[in-house]
Structure formats: structure tokens, C-alpha cells
Amino acid sequence: MEFTEKVIKGDVHAAARLITLIEEENPEALEEMGFLFPHTGRAYIIGVTGAPGVGKSTLLDSLIAYYRKQAMSIGVIAIDPTSALTGGALLGDRIRMQRHAADEQVFIRSLATRGWTGGLAKAALGAAHVMDAMGKDIILIETVGSGQVEIDIVKAADTTLLVMSPGSGDEIQMMKAGILESADVIAINKADTEGASRLKADLEMMREMNSWKRGDWSPPIIMTEAVNDKGAAELAEALTSHREYLKTGGGLTERRQERYQLELMELIDADIKEMIFSLDGGRLVKRLVDGLQKGKITPRDAAREIMNRLINKEG
Amino acid sequence: MEFTEKVIKGDVHAAARLITLIEEENPEALEEMGFLFPHTGRAYIIGVTGAPGVGKSTLLDSLIAYYRKQAMSIGVIAIDPTSALTGGALLGDRIRMQRHAADEQVFIRSLATRGWTGGLAKAALGAAHVMDAMGKDIILIETVGSGQVEIDIVKAADTTLLVMSPGSGDEIQMMKAGILESADVIAINKADTEGASRLKADLEMMREMNSWKRGDWSPPIIMTEAVNDKGAAELAEALTSHREYLKTGGGLTERRQERYQLELMELIDADIKEMIFSLDGGRLVKRLVDGLQKGKITPRDAAREIMNRLINKEG
């Protein structure tokens, strides 16, 4: 309860501390989230992705400025380690240099991508719950669009915003990563640079070809110049219109169910692994891996043996 | 057997087709891998990572040229959708423009990063088995270093090569992603550009501080100019010396056990999910997700319920 009471009052320090505990997978955090959870579900979550260098952070900075004029409170979760908004965990102090750092109503937090240790989606969605409980109206989850887990997170948002810029050739990468097809709104940043209108035309053509339409929503393509604070209002309107579409079409419920399901699977992932590694008192996996290395069994047979043991184990 | 017999004879078309079946998670592929597996374990697998723009593909191109002079056969698995080596799946024809495309002894294959659908590590390691069975001496797995799964794969290689370039500021991203600490060899590409010696000095300092040493191996830092084919020989020697270190120190066995374990967990991942989603005839997860959305239960309690059901289920 200790944290929850403070967090729902908007206590930034308590929220920051709780998010750290979540990142560290501290059992206390899990318990606290139990108390916190009933206070969540109000915030609107926007997943923002785009390749490095497209000006994602600058655009978010500009978008935040717009939302603040509407007196909306904002939470930002940056998974992109290169994020200029947070400066990344290793440059945490840079946060002071940021435009909204002094603004009580803008809570910016970066999460370290901890490589193979996993738990990133779990931490990101946990942090979103915390900011939600704080009463943030809008939560922006920012990530670079090149990792499976990172894409999971952005897709699990209410609205997925894809930021591109001319000449960066992101289209290929984004299409291959399956991001383009799940973008609800696309921002072409650096719209004043060469190739911007060409990129817009290409994307419009793809959109006509339905190559990446999600449901009957036709993703708007907004031209922005974040460095000059141009396009933020239009972008915000596009995001709002998608939110309205989801609410009226009922898609919002499904999106959120997807998100809860992702979080649920993430939460049990570690337990499942522990369960598997404890089979035969921890000897089964060792034995199978040893057999694989010696070429005595095939990966498929090893996998089958584990599944059989899981299915047939007694309580 | 159909594929295996051809693949072990080095049939490129059969190998390419089998890798496609693996990517598509075709059951036939799993069966075939059972026949193929006994023919694997000979190849040396090098994981190559680095941020986009550091010249990773150009460096690999230059490294491959060196290995070919040593009459070694090469397999390349590119997970980086922006890879210039493969041109990416959407630009498959670009492959013809590539330097080694005509070389029978160089088999280059790109894997699409299919976003949230997962299975990337499974596909990459499966493709590695195929190239291994083909008799490739060295298999290079290339990926951009920003996704958890992608990092898993690179770390699971025998040797992990991290490619950096001056001024790209990758250090932060790489450190945060936990890549730097698991790099066995570092190449500073574009060594002729400004800041190269500074980057080298910084990395050497970090190395002295043991901030990213893996065991008692001190990762060599090699200066390369891939566009001018400079440094490939030194880089190859550094990679070979790490291979020798692993063999003599016994670390190679552990690395490969890690890899088999990763593959094993990837192989059962889908089965585990199916198992969970089939609890209560598929109603349990639906019910829990619904409860989460309505705020009736907390994610932790929902996770607990699933785990209890898994532990107590009868065969």
C-alpha cells in the first residue's frame, strides 16, 4: 500500500521508485502492483516507434508541448536507449536539459533494454500501470522498431504511431518488422526535407493497396517538422480520431485485451522457465542439452520430452 | 530424408527451401531437421552485431573475401532487415549485385524479423543447422543490436563480434543492451574517420575497468576500413584466437550448451503457449484477461492462477 497511496496522489518520487522495483523484478513491486492495479485503466496509451534518426524524440517533445497546452498530463516510457527525451539511463542527468523536465505534469522515464535477460515488455507495461494510476491522461511508450519484444509493446498500445523520415529507407525495415502494417497513424517527420512528398505518395499507394490496413481504419499520414514545432496539432488530432474510432468500433476493448494477454504471458514466462528447469530436480534440461551437444537426440525430440514431462507431471 | 540427403551434399536450392520451411514453421521442416541434426556441430558460428550505419555488411563482405582466400566455405544468416549483404527479403534481387553472390561457397540468407509473431531465434538457429550440415566452415549470423531476441541469437554464437564506428554513439546503446559486455571481439570500422582512435581509447579504458570482460578473455579491439578492405585479416585472426581460447579453455562447450538450451526453449515456447491457452478448454486465459480488463483481478493473481493450473493439471 505504501507506494500505491503516494502514486495515486501523483507522487513522482514514489512512482519512479516503484518503476525501478518493477525493472528489478523485486517481489515487493509485484505485491504493490496488486494494490495499484484497481486504480488503472483510465490512461490512453500510445506506442511510438520509428528507426533511429527519424526525429522521434523531437516529435514527441513537440507533441507533449501540444498536449500540455490542452492541460493534459503526460507519461513517457522510453525503451529506446538512444532516446533524446530521457538521454537514456546512462545519461540520466541529461533529463534536466529537457524541455518538459521541470513540468510536474510530464513524467518521463527510460527503461534499459537489458538484452537477453528479458522482462522488457513486463517492465514497460508495469511502468504504464504506474503512470496510469498516477492519473496521466496520455502515456507515450517510445521504442526503436527493430526488436521483436519492442514491437510487441508498441503493438499492445491503444494506438500505434509510426514515425518516419525521408530518405532513411525505413519503409523496408518497418515492413519487414511488421510495424508498417500495424501503424494506426504515420508521421513523416522532417517533412521539409527532400523526398518527403515522395515518401508520403509511396505510403499512400501502399495504403490504397491495403497492404497494411488494420481493420477498416485507414491510417492517416501526417507531415511534421518537429524541430520547428510544425504538425504537432494535426498529429494529435489524428491520434485522437483513431482513439474515437477504437471506442466507437469497439476495437479499444480488443486492443486492451491483447495488451493484458501479453502482460499475462510475460508475467508467467519466468515461472514457466523455472518450472521447466526444475523438472527431474533440474536434471532434465541439463541431460537434454548434453544429449543435443553429443548429437544423441534431436532438438525436436528434446522439446517433445520436456512437453511430455510437463503434461504428465503430477501436482 | 529428401532434404537432408541433398543438403549434406551442399545443394543450395534444397538448403534454401528447407530454411524457408523452417521460417514458415512447417511441420515437415521439424521432421527433416531430425534427420539433418546428426550432420551438424562442425561449423564455427560467429554472431555479428552493431547499430545500423556502422558498415557491418561491408565489413562482413570484406571478411568473407578474406575467408574465401583461405578456401573456407561461408554461410551468412542476416537478421538485420537493412542488411546490404542480402538486401533484405523485400529486395531479394539485390543479392545479385553482391560481391559473393556468384560464389558457390558463400551461402547468404536473410530472415525476416516478423515482429510479434516470434520464432526468430528458432528460425536463425535452424538455418544455422542447415548451413552447418551443408558443410560450411564458418557461419556468420548478422543482426542489428537493438532487440532482445536478436541479442539472444548473437550471444548464443561461439564468438560474438561487435562492430562499431566513430561518432555513432553506439557505446551507450550497446552497453544498455548488454551487448558490449558480451562482445568477444570488437571491430572499430571506418577507422580512418574522425574519433576512431578516441573510441578505441574509450573502449580500452572500459576493458581495463573490466566493465565488460567475459571470463578471462580480454576482447581485442581491431581497427578496420571495410570500404578499403583494410583490417579484415587482423579481424579474422582475432576471431580465430578467440575460437582457440574457447577450445582450450573449454568455454566452447558451455557456449554451445547455452545455444542448444536457447534453441530448446524456443522450440517449446509455442507448445507451452498452446498448453496455456487450452486450459479449461481455452476458457481460462479468456476469463482472466476479461477479469483484468474489468479490474476484478490483478495481473499477479491471474498469473498465479495459470501457474497453479499448470502445476496441478493431470496428464
Side-chain angles (χ1 to χ4, degrees):
Chain A
M1 296 299 290
E2 175 205 347
F3 283 100
T4 301
E5 284 166 1
K6 290 177 180 168
V7 168
I8 58 179
K9 289 192 187 102
D11 184 326
V12 174
H13 299 291
R17 175 74 189 130
L18 181 52
I19 291 172
T20 301
L21 291 176
I22 291 167
E23 261 192 303
E24 294 166 353
E25 303 192 333
N26 183 313
E28 193 188 339
L30 259 181
E31 179 139 9
E32 198 65 45
M33 293 308 280
F35 301 122
L36 193 90
F37 194 71
H39 302 279
T40 65
R42 229 195 87 268
Y44 188 66
I45 301 181
I46 301 172
V48 186
T49 189
V54 296
K56 211 158 55 273
S57 296
T58 323
L59 183 60
L60 284 189
D61 203 47
S62 162
L63 190 62
I64 292 168
Y66 174 85
Y67 282 134
R68 291 298 299 128
K69 289 201 200 93
Q70 320 300 314
M72 283 191 268
S73 61
I74 309 293
V76 180
I77 299 162
I79 296 165
D80 176 358
T82 62
S83 171
L85 266 176
T86 59
L90 290 186
L91 301 171
D93 52 318
R94 276 235 192 124
I95 200 167
R96 292 193 211 92
M97 295 156 50
Q98 299 307 322
R99 181 172 171 181
H100 307 288
D103 184 341
E104 269 287 313
Q105 296 306 308
V106 180
F107 183 37
I108 300 175
R109 173 62 186 253
S110 97
L111 297 178
T113 65
R114 294 167 303 163
W116 87 115
T117 60
L120 184 59
K122 194 164 50 177
L125 295 174
H129 287 319
V130 173
M131 293 184 181
D132 189 346
M134 282 174 84
K136 298 302 175 194
D137 299 303
I138 291 171
I139 297 170
L140 299 158
I141 303 182
E142 177 201 13
T143 171
V144 288
S146 29
Q148 285 195 11
V149 178
E150 293 74 2
I151 294 165
D152 275 0
I153 299 166
V154 172
K155 283 186 174 171
D158 295 325
T159 297
T160 302
L161 167 63
L162 172 59
V163 185
M164 297 180 131
S165 69
S168 62
D170 307 334
E171 307 92 303
I172 311 299
Q173 177 161 7
M174 294 301 159
M175 282 182 72
K176 290 197 62 182
I179 299 170
L180 191 54
E181 68 210 26
S182 59
D184 302 304
V185 176
I186 293 184
I188 298 180
N189 195 31
K190 304 180 182 179
D192 52 336
T193 60
E194 200 197 335
S197 49
R198 170 63 193 276
L199 175 57
K200 186 166 194 269
D202 290 348
L203 289 170
E204 280 167 345
M205 193 189 65
M206 291 191 225
R207 187 177 56 186
E208 295 326 308
M209 289 160 54
N210 288 327
S211 47
W212 47 280
K213 253 170 127 177
R214 202 171 174 182
D216 57 356
W217 169 257
S218 182
I221 300 162
I222 314 296
M223 305 297 262
T224 63
E225 292 174 42
V227 287
N228 308 320
D229 264 332
K230 283 187 189 169
E234 295 74 2
L235 182 56
E237 280 159 26
L239 293 166
T240 305
S241 64
H242 181 256
R243 179 182 190 171
E244 290 311 312
Y245 161 78
L246 284 181
K247 279 183 178 173
T248 52
L252 190 58
T253 310
E254 291 143 31
R255 292 265 183 129
R256 294 194 166 179
Q257 282 177 344
E258 276 174 38
R259 186 159 71 232
Y260 285 122
Q261 187 170 303
L262 169 66
E263 183 170 20
L264 195 50
M265 298 311 276
E266 285 285 321
L267 272 172
I268 57 175
D269 187 58
D271 298 333
I272 296 279
K273 282 198 174 62
E274 195 186 328
M275 192 176 181
I276 289 166
F277 284 109
S278 64
L279 289 168
D280 273 356
R283 288 183 302 275
L284 181 64
V285 174
K286 276 196 192 65
R287 182 166 57 77
L288 293 173
V289 167
D290 190 58
L292 285 169
Q293 185 158 34
K294 295 199 171 84
K296 287 180 183 168
I297 47 168
T298 72
R300 182 197 195 185
D301 295 338
R304 276 198 180 137
E305 188 159 341
I306 290 178
M307 287 311 295
N308 289 336
R309 289 299 314 280
L310 279 177
I311 289 160
N312 300 321
K313 76 197 291 295
E314 280 108 45
Chain B
M1 297 299 290
E2 175 206 347
F3 284 100
T4 301
E5 284 165 1
K6 290 177 181 168
V7 168
I8 58 179
K9 288 192 189 106
D11 184 327
V12 174
H13 299 291
R17 176 71 189 132
L18 181 53
I19 291 172
T20 302
L21 291 176
I22 291 168
E23 262 192 301
E24 294 166 352
E25 303 192 335
N26 183 312
E28 193 189 340
L30 259 181
E31 179 141 10
E32 199 64 44
M33 292 307 280
F35 302 121
L36 192 91
F37 195 70
H39 302 281
T40 64
R42 226 194 90 269
Y44 188 66
I45 301 181
I46 301 171
V48 186
T49 188
V54 295
K56 213 160 50 279
S57 297
T58 322
L59 182 59
L60 283 189
D61 203 47
S62 162
L63 190 62
I64 291 168
Y66 174 85
Y67 281 134
R68 291 298 299 128
K69 289 201 200 94
Q70 319 300 312
M72 283 190 269
S73 61
I74 310 293
V76 181
I77 300 162
I79 296 166
D80 176 359
T82 61
S83 172
L85 265 175
T86 60
L90 291 186
L91 300 172
D93 51 319
R94 276 233 192 125
I95 199 166
R96 293 193 210 91
M97 295 156 51
Q98 298 307 321
R99 180 172 173 180
H100 306 288
D103 185 341
E104 270 287 314
Q105 295 308 308
V106 181
F107 183 37
I108 300 174
R109 174 60 186 256
S110 97
L111 297 178
T113 64
R114 293 167 303 162
W116 89 113
T117 59
L120 185 59
K122 195 164 47 176
L125 296 174
H129 286 319
V130 173
M131 294 185 181
D132 188 346
M134 282 175 84
K136 298 302 177 194
D137 298 305
I138 291 171
I139 297 168
L140 299 158
I141 303 181
E142 176 201 13
T143 170
V144 288
S146 28
Q148 284 194 12
V149 178
E150 293 74 2
I151 294 164
D152 274 1
I153 298 165
V154 172
K155 283 185 175 172
D158 296 325
T159 298
T160 302
L161 167 63
L162 172 60
V163 185
M164 297 180 130
S165 70
S168 63
D170 308 334
E171 306 92 302
I172 311 297
Q173 178 161 7
M174 294 301 157
M175 282 182 72
K176 290 196 63 181
I179 299 169
L180 190 56
E181 69 210 25
S182 58
D184 302 306
V185 176
I186 293 184
I188 298 180
N189 195 31
K190 305 180 183 179
D192 53 336
T193 60
E194 200 196 335
S197 48
R198 171 62 193 277
L199 175 56
K200 186 166 195 271
D202 290 349
L203 290 169
E204 279 166 346
M205 193 190 66
M206 292 189 224
R207 185 176 58 185
E208 296 322 310
M209 289 159 56
N210 288 328
S211 47
W212 46 282
K213 253 170 127 178
R214 201 170 175 182
D216 58 356
W217 169 257
S218 182
I221 300 162
I222 314 295
M223 306 294 264
T224 63
E225 293 175 40
V227 287
N228 309 320
D229 263 332
K230 282 187 192 169
E234 295 75 2
L235 181 56
E237 281 158 24
L239 293 167
T240 306
S241 63
H242 181 257
R243 179 182 191 170
E244 289 312 313
Y245 160 79
L246 284 181
K247 279 183 179 172
T248 52
L252 190 58
T253 309
E254 293 145 29
R255 291 267 182 125
R256 295 195 165 178
Q257 282 178 344
E258 278 174 35
R259 186 158 72 228
Y260 285 122
Q261 187 170 301
L262 169 66
E263 184 170 18
L264 195 50
M265 299 311 276
E266 284 286 322
L267 272 172
I268 58 175
D269 186 59
D271 298 333
I272 296 279
K273 282 198 172 63
E274 195 187 328
M275 191 177 185
I276 290 167
F277 284 109
S278 65
L279 290 167
D280 273 358
R283 288 183 302 274
L284 181 63
V285 174
K286 275 197 192 65
R287 184 165 57 76
L288 293 173
V289 167
D290 190 58
L292 285 168
Q293 185 159 33
K294 295 199 171 85
K296 286 181 184 168
I297 47 167
T298 71
R300 183 198 194 185
D301 295 338
R304 276 199 182 137
E305 188 160 341
I306 290 178
M307 286 313 295
N308 290 335
R309 289 300 313 279
L310 278 178
I311 290 160
N312 300 321
K313 73 198 293 296
E314 279 109 45

